[in-house]
């Protein structure tokens, strides 16, 4: 039975303990009609309710395989968009707080990417020579741009494979919005650093000369993650001096220097797997978001493994944090009452093109 949507104001002041109980009750009442997907950076008081946890690639695959009517995405906006694009027509993707965005995704907009494409056209024919590759951390209209221009999506776990796919088709890549993932993946393929140039969207011709554009293999968008840029090579040096036997693992959104000085690089799912599979007693320094690192440290401490956070200061994905127990309880109780709140719906023409770029990625990885 449908009633008027319950306003969030009545949940704002809900005590955490009460919110937990109300989430559990709402989930019990919804049963299999709702699936709760949680990214690894999600705060513990929400993560504990997850049906499925994972990195962006795993979650985008599983979102499309679920039978649930409601996909409640405890992540950030672009993740809920991907779930909507890949889900069946009768499924509804929901983001419990619409303010949960990704600051890196916001660094590239369709208008700026289209301008870049136009400016590149004055030097070369991009539709024949440049594959646009968008990191999954981007808005749906940029995925649609890639779908329309022979391009593709990548995630942190398949970027080198996606670059191979791209170079098999065209001689250059325009990679947005994360310069670090693009640079590290290009480096892994053996592309020299001087053939990976930065496109600054606020400057004419990206701030590049015609010669730099002609010589480039990868044109990297000037975007980055504010969380991962907090990690520094000096933090790794300090750790190594103190614990020479210790291991360092980082996310590829970290700077090139941090990646270079790490023993292993991987997506959130890969970081968790490698640390869990390591020998008992291993000490790790981890360069990724704090919620993941704290949880991992707890999960492996019984094996004598020590997991340390790389930065000296607290750095969390503050936007993902916005999905708190209060918003989750509000979302679920509305569903129980027959009201859908915070649905993420990508316009059909955009979703169709974005799906092409996403499916190219799923087939290639
Ligand atoms: P993963 O795909 O590795 O989970 O990364 C997503 C992300 O946003 C990292 O900042
Ligand atoms: Fe975006 Fe960085 Fe948060 Fe990942 S950690 S979702 S890249 S802001």
């Amino acid at each position: 039975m449908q009633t008027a949507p319950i306003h969030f104001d009545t949940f704002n002041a809900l005590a955490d303990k009460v919110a937990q109980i109300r989430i559990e009750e709402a989930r019990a009442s919804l049963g299999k009609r709702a699936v709760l997907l949680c990214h690894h950076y999600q705060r513990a008081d929400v993560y504990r309710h997850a049906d499925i946890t994972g990195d962006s690639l795993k979650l985008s695959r599983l979102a499309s395989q679920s039978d649930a009517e409601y996909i409640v995405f405890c992540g950030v906006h672009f993740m809920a968009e991907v779930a909507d694009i890949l889900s069946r027509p009768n499924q509804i993707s929901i983001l419990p707080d619409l303010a949960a965005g990704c600051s890196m995704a916001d660094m590239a907009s369709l208008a700026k990417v289209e301008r870049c494409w136009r400016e590149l056209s004055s030097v070369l024919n991009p539709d024949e020579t440049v594959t646009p590759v968008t990191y999954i951390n981007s808005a749906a209209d940029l995925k649609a741009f890639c779908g329309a221009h022979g391009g593709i999506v990548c995630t942190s776990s398949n970027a080198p494979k996606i670059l191979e796919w791209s170079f098999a088709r065209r001689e250059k890549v325009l990679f947005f919005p994360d310069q670090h993932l693009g640079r590290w993946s290009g480096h892994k393929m053996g592309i020299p650093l001087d053939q990976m140039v930065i496109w600054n969207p606020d400057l004419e011709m990206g701030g590049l000369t015609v010669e730099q554009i002609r010589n480039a293999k990868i044109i990297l968008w000037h975007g980055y993650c504010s969380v991962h840029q907090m990690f520094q090579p000096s933090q790794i040096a300090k750790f190594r001096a103190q614990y020479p036997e210790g291991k360092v693992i980082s996310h590829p959104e970290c700077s090139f220097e941090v990646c270079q000085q790490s023993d292993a690089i991987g997506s959130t799912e890969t970081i968790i797997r490698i640390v869990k599979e390591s020998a008992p007693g291993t000490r790790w320094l981890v360069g990724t978001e704090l919620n993941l690192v704290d949880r991992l440290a707890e999960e492996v401490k019984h094996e004598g493994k020590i997991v340390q956070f790389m930065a000296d200061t607290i750095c969390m994905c503050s936007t993902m944090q916005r999905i708190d127990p209060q918003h989750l309880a509000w979302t679920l109780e509305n569903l129980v009452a027959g009201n859908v709140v915070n649905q993420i719906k990508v316009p059909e023409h955009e979703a169709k093109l974005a799906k092409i770029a996403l499916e190219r990625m799923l087939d290639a990885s």
Side-chain angles (χ1 to χ4, degrees):
M1 187 193 61
Q2 192 169 350
T3 55
I6 312 161
H7 202 275
F8 180 68
D9 283 357
T10 52
F11 283 73
N12 217 358
L14 210 62
D16 285 343
K17 267 195 186 152
V18 179
Q20 294 296 338
I21 295 167
R22 287 176 60 170
I23 291 169
E24 279 160 23
E25 286 172 355
R27 297 221 59 204
S29 143
L30 287 164
K32 288 196 172 9
R33 290 175 65 208
V35 65
L36 225 128
L37 305 188
C38 264
H39 186 265
H40 289 305
Y41 294 162
Q42 196 53 256
R43 46 195 289 165
D45 51 11
V46 168
Y47 195 87
R48 62 191 285 259
H49 298 287
D51 291 309
I52 300 169
T53 62
D55 63 8
S56 308
L57 181 61
K58 180 176 162 193
L59 291 176
S60 58
R61 276 188 200 285
L62 293 178
S64 63
Q65 288 163 16
S66 145
D67 286 328
E69 198 177 327
Y70 306 118
I71 300 169
V72 181
F73 217 121
C74 299
V76 288
H77 194 270
F78 74 82
M79 298 178 184
E81 278 188 336
V82 170
D84 175 54
I85 294 164
L86 295 178
S87 62
R88 283 185 295 282
N90 59 341
Q91 291 181 300
I92 291 175
S93 174
I94 294 166
L95 185 67
D97 185 345
L98 295 180
C102 163
S103 54
M104 176 212 279
D106 294 342
M107 290 178 186
S109 66
L110 181 61
K112 287 184 176 181
V113 169
E114 282 180 340
R115 197 184 102 196
C116 166
W117 208 248
R118 269 196 312 278
E119 291 183 350
L120 287 176
S121 308
S122 65
V123 180
L124 31 86
N125 181 353
D127 276 295
E128 280 179 14
T129 57
V130 184
T131 306
V133 179
T134 188
Y135 187 23
I136 197 162
N137 296 38
S138 59
D141 55 4
L142 289 181
K143 295 182 177 85
F145 176 91
C146 290
H149 291 273
I152 190 163
V153 178
C154 76
T155 72
S156 59
S157 55
N158 61 19
K161 220 178 249 175
I162 297 304
L163 285 187
E164 274 172 34
W165 181 98
S166 307
F167 285 119
R169 283 152 182 85
R170 295 176 188 170
E171 67 196 60
K172 295 180 196 293
V173 160
L174 171 64
F175 193 99
F176 45 88
D178 187 21
Q179 58 171 300
H180 298 299
L181 177 65
R183 190 181 292 107
W184 182 251
S185 308
H187 169 72
K188 293 302 281 177
M189 289 186 78
I191 298 175
L193 287 180
D194 62 0
Q195 288 180 24
M196 295 191 268
V197 294
I198 288 279
W199 182 276
N200 183 337
D202 297 325
L203 300 175
E204 202 177 319
M205 291 298 280
L208 296 172
T209 62
V210 168
E211 202 186 348
Q212 281 174 313
I213 293 171
R214 288 218 174 99
N215 289 339
K217 285 295 284 175
I218 306 186
I219 300 165
L220 300 165
W221 198 261
H222 188 260
Y224 55 85
C225 165
S226 46
V227 176
H228 288 85
Q229 76 161 7
M230 300 297 283
F231 304 120
Q232 302 294 330
S234 58
Q235 295 152 355
I236 300 180
K238 193 170 149 199
F239 173 80
R240 293 215 191 271
Q242 219 173 343
Y243 308 108
E245 76 301 342
K247 299 261 182 227
V248 180
I249 188 162
S250 304
H251 194 276
E253 287 174 16
C254 293
S255 71
F256 184 73
E257 294 71 25
V258 166
C259 290
Q260 251 185 332
Q261 287 171 40
S262 299
D263 298 299
I265 301 294
S267 73
T268 55
E269 186 84 5
T270 308
I271 290 174
I272 293 168
R273 181 179 51 75
I274 291 179
V275 172
K276 286 192 173 168
E277 286 174 3
S278 66
T282 313
R283 181 184 286 270
W284 287 95
L285 183 71
V286 182
T288 198
E289 206 262 2
L290 187 58
N291 279 299
L292 181 158
V293 179
D294 280 351
R295 189 175 302 120
L296 187 57
E298 269 306 301
E299 284 174 7
V300 298
K301 73 173 183 206
H302 70 280
E303 293 176 89
K305 292 180 203 171
I306 298 173
V307 172
Q308 287 177 229
F309 186 55
M310 193 178 286
D312 309 318
T313 50
I314 291 174
C315 41
M316 291 181 174
C317 181
S318 56
T319 42
M320 206 180 292
Q321 289 284 312
R322 289 183 176 150
I323 297 187
D324 54 16
Q326 287 72 15
H327 280 89
L328 186 55
W330 170 68
T331 305
L332 295 173
E333 285 194 13
N334 265 299
L335 291 180
V336 171
N339 304 310
V340 173
V341 289
N342 288 6
Q343 179 176 4
I344 301 298
K345 185 84 198 128
V346 178
E348 214 170 296
H349 65 284
E350 209 169 277
K352 219 167 141 184
L353 287 169
K355 195 170 180 181
I356 294 173
L358 280 162
E359 282 178 342
R360 284 180 186 140
M361 171 188 82
L362 294 171
D363 290 347
S365 55

